[in-house]
Every structure is written in C-alpha cells, then in structure tokens.
Amino acid sequence: MTGGVNGTIVERTCAISVDLDEIPNYGAIHGVQLCDVDEHAVYDRGLPRLEAWARQSDVPLTLFAVGSDLKRPAAAEGLSRMATAGHEIANHSFDHFYDLTRRSPSEMHEQVAKANEAIAQATGAPPVGFRAPGYVTTDALYEVLDEVGVRYSSSVFPCPWYYAPKAALIGLKALRGRPSRSLIDDPRVLSAPAEPYRIGKPYYRRGTGVLELPMAVTPWLRLPVIGTSLVAGGPAGAEWLVRRLIGRKFINLELHGIDVLDASDELGALGRHQPDLRIPASRKLQVLDRVVYTLREAGYSFRTLAEAAQRLGDDDVSP
Ligand SMILES: [Zn+2]
C-alpha cells in the first residue's frame, strides 16, 4: 500500500504471468522443423525452475496453459502441483492455433471450452482467465469468451515495436519459402488502451464487455516490458524498463516458459532462431529478481491476474 492523493490509499499491484507454450510452438513461429530437441522442456525443465523461483521470491504466478499439452501426465501433474502451491492456472486455448481468430465461431468456442475442461481436469478448478495465442484477438473471439464465461482476458499487446518486426519477420520467412504460422493482428490494436479496460466494439476501444488486462508497455514510446525485453536488457536494463511503469495502479508482466531455459536444455537448433537461449537461465532469474526487488521497493505487491481482475473489475476500471 502507498499513500495516494487526499489521504486515500492506492494499492499498487503487479502480476507476473507465464505462457507455457511448449517447444514445438517455437518451431512453428520460425517455420522450422525441430529434431533432436526436448519437446517438453518448458514443462519438464522450465516449470520446476519457475516453481523454485516463485517460492523463494514469494511471488504468485499466473500460468497460461495450452490444453492439449495436458494429455501428457507429467505436464498435468506439474500444473496441478503449481495450482496446489497457490499459483493461478489460466487458459491459453486448447491447441494454440496461431490462426485461431480465422476459424469459425464454433471452432473458437471449442478451443476455449476444451482448454477450460482440460485444465479443470488437471487442477480440480476451471480457469477464469484467457490469453489468445500470439496476442491475436478479434471481436468474434471476445464474443466467444463472453459465452464461455471467461472473467478476464489478457491478450492485447499494444506495442508497435513488437508489431513491426513481427510483420517484417513473417514477410521475410515467406520470401525464403519458410512461411511462419504466426499471424499479425489488426494494426489498430496499437491504439488500444495500455491500462486495463472493458472491451467495446471494436475491441481496441473502451466499452462494457469482457475485462481486458493488456500486457505492459512503457508510456509514450510503448516499449515492450515482457520477458524477452527484460532478459535482453539484463538486470540493469530490466530495472530501467520497469521503472518507466512505476506509478501505475497495475502492472501486467508477461513471460514465456522459454524465458527460463537456455542452451543447456537440449534445445538444439532452436538456439539459432532464439538468440536469448544463449543467456544462462541463472542470469535470467537474476533479471526477474531485480524486477521484483525494484517493484517491491516502489510499493507494489504481487498478485495473480485473477486477483488483480477481481479488484480492477470491482473498481470498474474507471479510466
Ligand atoms: Zn502462446
């Protein structure tokens, strides 16, 4: 808690979420066939690392799980263990189709509902939150979320620095005959609010629909403040980035499971396409330590996204 204006108390909240996209998804993004890699490295190597880090740091995580990964008992057990430890498990669709938003409403519905079922089966509780694969959303997808009863979405990433290179990369890969399965969003998503809002129509405008918790970008320049940029910046660069966010009521930091893996994790050729795998996992965890330390010093407490959504929803996310 920190003192606000006129003696009111404003709580500063930060949520750290981790998308558990498994290794074959990265092959799909880069348009390459991966052989001789540990296809389960995110669940089997990354998750225990995240579990130990979260326990030491006393940070509750929100884990976005892909439903079909939970067919593997070791993955379902890992997730169940995290839920028991107090972490939130949320929905990252059933198959992580990069073209989810181009499919029919009934298929989108099935992807969201089936992931809810798979997660409920693994953890004993149905999830309340959803994140779209590849940050790509549409009005039709939000309608589906509403139908399924999703309480919050955290799918909007209003970051031009992410958008422009992604568009360039997809074009380049297509030219080289290795089409990426990744999709780009409607560029108008860049005009979406950077703070939590209820979606309107179109979804990048404010309205009265599903509560959306966009991923963190800095004010003005809208630099991305996500695992990739934090890790690339090292502890000092990460601290500089998160300091740009201090003062906001809510900070939504998004990581990926691969952010706590490195070249020693049997990822073979993926290292050529994901240069951040050259950074040792221990160094990446030091970056996270610095982020948590910096934000705690500034009065932030760490919560799951569901807890943050509850509070923000109660406040009715007044702009
Ligand atoms: Zn994903």
Side-chain angles (χ1 to χ4, degrees), residues 218-231:
T218 64
W220 306 110
L221 280 177
R222 291 199 168 196
L223 298 173
V225 191
I226 60 171
T228 321
S229 52
L230 294 170
V231 161

Side-chain angles (χ1 to χ4, degrees), residues 2 51 64 129 316:
T2 53
E51 185 181 11
F64 284 90
D316 214 22

Side-chain angles (χ1 to χ4, degrees), residues 19 21 66 92 96 98 132-134 256:
D19 299 357
D21 304 26
V66 175
H92 198 27
H96 205 275
Y98 285 102
H256 283 86

Side-chain angles (χ1 to χ4, degrees), residues 9-32:
I9 300 295
V10 178
E11 193 179 63
R12 293 178 162 184
T13 305
C14 176
I16 297 185
S17 58
V18 187
D19 299 357
L20 297 177
D21 304 26
E22 205 34 288
I23 298 303
N25 288 302
Y26 294 92
I29 289 175
H30 299 295
V32 289

Side-chain angles (χ1 to χ4, degrees), residues 126-281:
V128 298
F130 175 83
R131 177 166 290 151
Y135 318 113
V136 181
T137 51
T138 53
D139 290 342
L141 181 57
Y142 282 106
E143 271 168 38
V144 165
L145 299 185
D146 206 23
E147 279 163 28
V148 177
V150 164
R151 215 187 297 153
Y152 74 86
S153 158
S154 179
S155 306
V156 164
F157 188 33
C159 175
W161 308 99
Y162 170 77
Y163 183 88
K166 187 179 176 188
L169 186 76
I170 291 170
L172 195 66
K173 287 200 182 285
L175 283 175
R176 288 182 180 162
R178 284 204 311 242
S180 169
R181 277 165 47 203
S182 194
L183 265 190
I184 48 175
D185 205 342
D186 185 325
R188 284 171 296 184
V189 69
L190 298 177
S191 64
E195 309 255 359
Y197 67 104
R198 288 199 177 275
I199 65 129
K201 266 200 180 146
Y203 68 88
Y204 41 84
R205 300 268 174 263
R206 291 178 188 275
T208 56
V210 174
L211 179 65
E212 171 61 43
L213 308 174
M215 261 111 358
V217 291
T218 64
W220 306 110
L221 280 177
R222 291 199 168 196
L223 298 173
V225 191
I226 60 171
T228 321
S229 52
L230 294 170
V231 161
E239 179 178 338
W240 184 88
L241 273 174
V242 295
R243 283 200 180 282
R244 310 275 82 70
L245 308 176
I246 288 174
R248 285 190 193 167
K249 194 158 97 176
F250 173 62
I251 296 175
N252 184 8
L253 295 180
E254 184 228 20
L255 316 173
H256 283 86
I258 202 169
D259 291 333
V260 296
L261 299 180
D262 64 27
S264 71
D265 289 315
E266 289 179 41
L267 298 173
L270 190 57
R272 284 207 295 275
H273 303 276
Q274 295 270 142
D276 47 337
L277 286 173
R278 286 179 214 137
I279 303 169

